[in-house]
């Protein structure tokens, strides 16, 4: 196995035994499916020595390597290929070691394959479309193994000398990657390895009811840690008895102080080993047990990570708080991590990039948090010092745009901080405060989208220094924007005349009145309802406000006033209404408020249903038959002259439109 070649060992190539074996195969050997038939024996249940245990697996590894190479021949036309521009011999003490430095055509040009360490490649002067092209008389199946390089150079060891006589082209064709096979080979043949762990696995304790390596003192469902036992009925519901025993054994062994040991989980394909490992990792994470998980291949590692993340996500209670305790690391390019959207957020490189943005002094969370505080504390100052290119914006437009812009950055930083920081660095108390702040921020954004504020209100609220009043006003505005309305018995008439129909007064801390109304704005060809917040002022100042607003409301058309009075109730919430301008401005609408409602509403989404008796007017049949039984009585009252309540299906959602 070439252990005599010190220069090879200096380069870390103790794998030459397996590589030499692969190099010894002819093309006929590679294509022979029965080359190792009857050479791989059944692995016994017991072993006399660790050496015999290790050697038992060598034939299986060799047979698997041969099967992988044979499979690559069947897909040869699709194999990644690149052109080799130069081949330079590398001096070596061993004359039989054909080592070279190669230069390939850049990936930005015609080719896109760049050989990686561990790749087994075929060297040929044509682009192969079948296995025969690798076994021509001139080269007779020439293959090479890509070694670790230095200074961005590619090193290969070939099965035969490489020549480029006559200036002919030379191509490298990918066959298989042998990294995992080589690692296993090294482990199996090593004479200097620490085998204490393997000895521990092989020494089965005959008195253990759990099949070896178990501490009889610690192993017990009843003694399972409280951090896990409270959740275990739901966590373990998807496990069979053997899987559950394995997970519980791992949990108890992690807390065992009686012996240092390991747990071997084994079984044929399809028996749930990956699921068992993932569940064990979940349980250990709940116990705050630091765990390192390794796998022989990237595919296996990604599969375990995906299973674990699926379980973790089901157990998270506060957003993605807790994912910061999980880190996936490795070579992102080889792992093809970009193809796994659900795994990227725990990948170390991605996490570093995101947290670097959050902690950037000039553009990180601290900067945006200070910007948000400044905006909320004194928006007028921010508006007066805005950039020249935004001079055309109104104060409301400026605040709305800044709140959305700064809010996006604040939300990005907060969410990523509690997602990517370990739980040891950010407490649950801080996370709940962050989530609460984000909820308030979203409520404020929603409020600004549906609510218009007058300058009088802005001036009045700035003069009020009592923080409790500020909080109560914000809470009241948020409730109004979310559709809450005061009950009729709590309403008080504050003005007379036209204003009395639309203005509302809600008390604030018993000292002030918040004066608001539903107003109507025109957006393109539609009328849109909005909440208009007129002022927050003492009761004694209300008559003066009444005089000013009376003249303003007189300029409204009957149709516009009726739209202000129109209410859309969705469950317990009042939601804003949008309707076409042309259907609301007809002469008929000016004369009859009911027509203002019935004409646009009938055009929205009143669907035909089976007709009733012919004695009932057709227009009434159309309205009533669209309604569930409970709503039909309200439509009947409307038709008999009762309070105006119309049910309509607007974009597939049932709503009440109420004219009071």
């Amino acid at each position: 196995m070439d252990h005599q070649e010190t220069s090879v060992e200096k380069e870390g190539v103790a794998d030459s035994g397996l590589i030499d074996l692969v190099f010894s195969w002819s093309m006929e050997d590679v294509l022979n499916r029965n080359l190792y038939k009857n050479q791989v024996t059944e692995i016994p249940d017991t072993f006399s020595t660790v050496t015999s245990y290790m050697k038992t697996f060598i034939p299986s590894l060799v047979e698997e390597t041969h099967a992988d190479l044979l499979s690559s021949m069947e897909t040869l036309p699709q194999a990644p290929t690149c052109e080799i521009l130069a081949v330079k011999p590398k001096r070596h003490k061993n004359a039989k070691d054909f080592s070279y430095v190669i230069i390939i055509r850049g990936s930005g040009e015609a080719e896109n394959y760049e050989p990686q360490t561990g790749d087994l490649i075929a060297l040929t002067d044509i682009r192969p479309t079948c296995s025969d092209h690798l076994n021509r008389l001139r080269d007779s199946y020439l293959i090479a193994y890509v070694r670790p390089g230095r200074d961005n150079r590619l090193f290969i060891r070939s099965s035969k000398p490489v020549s480029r006589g006559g200036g002919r082209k030379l191509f490298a064709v990918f066959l298989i990657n042998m990294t995992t096979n080589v690692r296993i080979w090294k482990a199996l043949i090593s004479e200097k390895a620490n085998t204490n762990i393997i000895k521990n696995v092989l020494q089965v304790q005959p008195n253990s009811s759990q099949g070896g390596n178990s501490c009889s003192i610690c192993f017990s469902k009843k003694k399972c840690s409280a951090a896990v036992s409270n959740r275990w009925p739901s966590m373990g519901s998807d496990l069979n008895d053997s899987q559950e025993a394995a997970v519980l054994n791992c949990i108890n062994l992690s807390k065992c102080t009686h012996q240092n040991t390991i747990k071997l989980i084994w079984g044929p394909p399809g028996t749930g080993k990956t699921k068992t490992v993932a569940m064990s990792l979940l349980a250990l994470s709940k116990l705050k047990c630091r765990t390192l998980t390794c796998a022989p291949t990237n595919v296996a590692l990604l599969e375990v990570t995906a299973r674990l993340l699926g379980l973790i996500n089901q157990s998270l209670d506060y957003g993605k708080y807790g994912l910061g305790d999980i880190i996936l690391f490795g070579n992102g390019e080889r792992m093809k991590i970009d193809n796994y959207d659900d795994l990227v957020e725990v990948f170390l490189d991605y996490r570093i990039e995101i947290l670097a943005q959050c902690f950037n002094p000039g553009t990180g969370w601290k900067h945006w948090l200070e910007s948000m505080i400044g905006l909320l504390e004194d928006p007028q100052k921010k508006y007066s010092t805005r950039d020249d290119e935004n001079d055309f914006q109104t104060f409301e437009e400026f605040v709305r745009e800044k709140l959305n812009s700064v809010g996006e950055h604040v939300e990005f930083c907060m969410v990523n901080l509690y997602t990517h920081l370990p739980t040891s660095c950010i407490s649950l108390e801080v996370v709940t405060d962050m989530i609460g702040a984000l909820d308030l921020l979203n409520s404020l954004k929603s409020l600004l989208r549906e609510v218009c504020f007058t300058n009088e209100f802005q001036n009045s609220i700035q003069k009020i220094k009592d923080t409790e009043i500020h909080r109560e006003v914000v809470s009241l505005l948020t409730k109004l924007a979310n559709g809450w309305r005061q009950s009729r018995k709590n309403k008080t008439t504050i003005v007379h005349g036209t204003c009395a129909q639309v203005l509302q007064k809600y008390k604030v801390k018993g000292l002030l009145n918040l004066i608001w109304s539903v107003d109507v704005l025109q957006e393109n060809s539609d009328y849109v309802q909005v909440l208009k917040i007129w002022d927050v002022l003492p009761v004694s100042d209300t008559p003066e406000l009444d005089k000013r607003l009376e003249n303003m409301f007189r300029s409204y058309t009957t149709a516009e006033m009726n739209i202000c009075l129109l209410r859309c109730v969705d469950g317990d919430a009042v939601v804003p209404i949008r309707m076409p301008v042309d259907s609301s401005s007809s002469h008929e609408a000016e004369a009859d408020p009911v027509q203002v409602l019935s004409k646009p509403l009938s055009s929205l989404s009143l669907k035909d249903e089976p007709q009733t008796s012919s004695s009932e007017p057709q227009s009434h049949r159309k309205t009533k038959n669209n309604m569930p039984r409970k709503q039909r009585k309200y439509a009947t009252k409307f038709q008999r002259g009762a309070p105006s309540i119309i049910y309509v299906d607007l974009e597939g959602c049932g709503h009440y439109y109420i004219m009071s």
Side-chain angles (χ1 to χ4, degrees), residues 611-649:
Q611 296 184 353
T612 57
S613 63
S614 59
S615 61
E616 184 171 305
Q618 185 175 356
S619 60
H620 290 180
R621 291 200 304 269
K622 187 175 182 181
T623 302
K624 285 181 62 178
N625 290 335
N626 279 286
M627 308 175 189
R629 181 176 301 174
K630 183 178 180 180
Q631 283 84 30
R632 291 183 186 178
K633 64 179 181 179
Y634 295 111
T636 302
K637 288 183 179 180
F638 166 70
Q639 292 148 16
R640 293 175 182 173
S644 305
I645 302 176
I646 300 176
Y647 178 85
V648 65
D649 186 13

Side-chain angles (χ1 to χ4, degrees), residues 173-187:
V173 183
F174 173 79
L175 298 177
I176 61 174
N177 185 280
M178 296 186 59
T179 300
T180 301
N181 306 59
V182 165
R183 288 173 180 170
I184 297 174
W185 175 270
K186 288 180 180 179

Side-chain angles (χ1 to χ4, degrees), residues 253 397 547:
L253 288 178
E397 291 171 340
K547 293 178 183 179

